[in-house]
Amino acid sequence: MNQACPSPGDSTLTAAPRVSYGHSLPTALAASNTLAAFSFDTQRAAPGDPRHLRVPLGVLGAPYGAIEYWQVDDSVAHGREGELAWASGGGWLFVAMDVNEADHGGVAGASEQAYAQLCAFLARHPAGQVQRLWNYLGQINTGDGDRERYKRFCDGRAIGMGDFFAEGFPAATAVGHHAAEGWLQVYCLAALKPGTRLENPRQVAAWQYPRQYGPTPPSFARAMRLPGGELAISGTASIIGHESQHIGQLEPQLDEILANLEALLTHAGSAAGFDEHSPLKVYVRHPEQTQAIDEYLARHLPETPRLLLHGDICRAELLVEIDGWRY
Ligand code: 3EB
């Protein structure tokens, strides 16, 4: 059985994983330097290659292909440990967990357990410096006030993290899926060396959101500069300060998201804008708005690879959210 032990190749950090969109999962998995490959599908299936994760979001638009894959400059080892799958190579580590809420007494307990297990694994892995996290849960906007499932997820996540991120949270995404309600998925990219956390000058840091957004502020930074200088960009929505903007208006929300993304790049000291080296994922609440969103992005970011997925934003009033990378 594979163990999460350092191999000789893990002692130096190679270039950041390159994130691409493509058409063939078998082709992505056939390469020995593939750290992770993602297909997007609301159906659950038996686990196979630990590097392959089925993300429970439906594909709405995939002009560059509906398979996402990450490749490093080294061969990759991989394995499973209970509910956890991992792959590592070149000083980079991918860890993924699928959890059933029913096994942990609900969304908060499942989030707590998922994070506790994830952090325990990361704590003993040499490449356990977390750069980026993704979270997908069902019915994210169900429940009133502090009982909204997203807020319960935030509560459990913070407890499960404990003091693991005492120095600061990594970049993240938390989006609602339309698969089986009790399916919680968490995955991350970590490395031998820490990244640098970045906030957005147009926005209040999420971990400093005021009480009105829930008892536990969301545990993420707006972006992470990877050890090699690349930028991992958190889920970015139409929020200025801490307030949602342009309720119910699609194009103004998209304009605000682009302004937030550009402000983040400028703040990060990146001279280049969004081009072919900045793949983006777009989470779309209402599938009937897909075409308008896709056309908007084709017009404003014509060179940027994009993948449009059916996902609910963690604030019920928001229609769209974008995350991605800048190499
Ligand atoms: C926001 O800016 C939108 O809870 O991990 C974006 C990215 C959002 C990550 C998270 C939430 C999270 O507040 C929501």
Side-chain angles (χ1 to χ4, degrees):
M1 189 186 134
N2 286 316
Q3 291 293 332
C5 293
S7 66
D10 276 346
S11 57
T12 53
L13 185 61
T14 61
R18 283 166 308 287
V19 175
S20 309
Y21 300 135
H23 297 277
S24 169
L25 180 67
T27 303
L29 292 173
S32 65
N33 67 329
T34 294
L35 185 70
F38 305 88
S39 58
F40 299 88
D41 190 335
T42 53
Q43 297 302 310
R44 216 160 166 173
D49 187 319
R51 299 171 302 162
H52 172 214
L53 190 67
R54 278 173 166 254
V55 175
L57 302 173
V59 175
L60 294 177
Y64 294 77
I67 300 296
E68 177 184 346
Y69 57 98
W70 302 353
Q71 293 186 314
V72 293
D73 292 331
D74 198 2
S75 60
V76 169
H78 50 79
R80 288 187 189 275
E81 242 186 70
E83 291 171 311
L84 186 149
W86 63 270
S88 74
W92 297 90
L93 172 66
F94 166 67
V95 190
M97 295 200 66
D98 285 312
V99 174
N100 287 315
E101 293 179 17
D103 296 338
H104 305 285
V107 62
S111 311
E112 177 182 339
Q113 269 306 309
Y115 270 91
Q117 286 184 58
L118 188 66
C119 293
F121 182 86
L122 291 162
R124 60 191 166 77
H125 197 289
Q129 301 288 333
V130 181
Q131 315 288 322
R132 183 69 171 86
L133 279 155
W134 291 259
N135 306 275
Y136 298 115
L137 58 146
Q139 302 290 322
I140 195 166
N141 302 128
T142 300
D144 292 331
D146 291 349
R147 304 296 303 171
E148 187 188 25
R149 282 170 51 83
Y150 172 64
K151 298 186 177 85
R152 303 286 294 131
F153 159 78
C154 288
D155 297 341
R157 170 172 60 177
I159 296 168
M161 282 178 166
D163 60 5
F164 192 78
F165 295 107
E167 285 171 25
F169 300 113
T173 295
V175 160
H177 66 61
H178 293 265
E181 183 181 327
W183 177 2
L184 171 68
Q185 182 173 84
V186 179
Y187 67 92
C188 77
L189 174 69
L192 279 174
K193 295 183 182 157
T196 307
R197 296 174 297 278
L198 294 169
E199 292 298 329
N200 191 321
R202 300 182 89 225
Q203 298 181 298
V204 171
W207 42 273
Q208 295 180 322
Y209 278 171
R211 176 65 181 85
Q212 72 204 75
Y213 299 101
T216 311
S219 313
F220 71 98
R222 299 293 178 187
M224 184 75 98
R225 189 185 291 114
L226 305 186
E230 304 83 0
L231 205 60
I233 301 164
S234 294
T236 303
S238 176
I239 296 172
I240 302 184
H242 57 74
E243 287 171 337
S244 301
Q245 308 290 315
H246 319 295
I247 311 302
Q249 298 175 268
L250 183 60
E251 187 145 335
Q253 287 197 18
L254 286 163
D255 290 340
E256 212 63 75
I257 291 172
L258 286 205
N260 281 338
L261 291 172
E262 271 151 24
L264 197 56
L265 279 200
T266 304
H267 182 60
S270 171
F274 290 91
D275 59 18
E276 72 269 28
H277 302 295
S278 55
L280 300 178
K281 278 213 291 272
V282 185
Y283 304 95
V284 176
R285 181 184 292 278
H286 300 302
E288 63 272 22
Q289 294 183 329
T290 303
Q291 195 187 341
I293 294 170
D294 196 51
E295 285 172 5
Y296 177 99
L297 293 170
R299 201 159 63 238
H300 288 82
L301 305 175
E303 297 159 67
T304 303
R306 61 188 183 277
L307 176 59
L308 287 79
L309 300 167
H310 187 199
D312 291 341
I313 320 314
C314 63
R315 293 188 183 188
E317 68 275 15
L318 295 177
L319 301 169
V320 56
E321 181 174 310
I322 297 180
D323 70 17
W325 306 86
R326 167 72 239 183
Y327 288 97

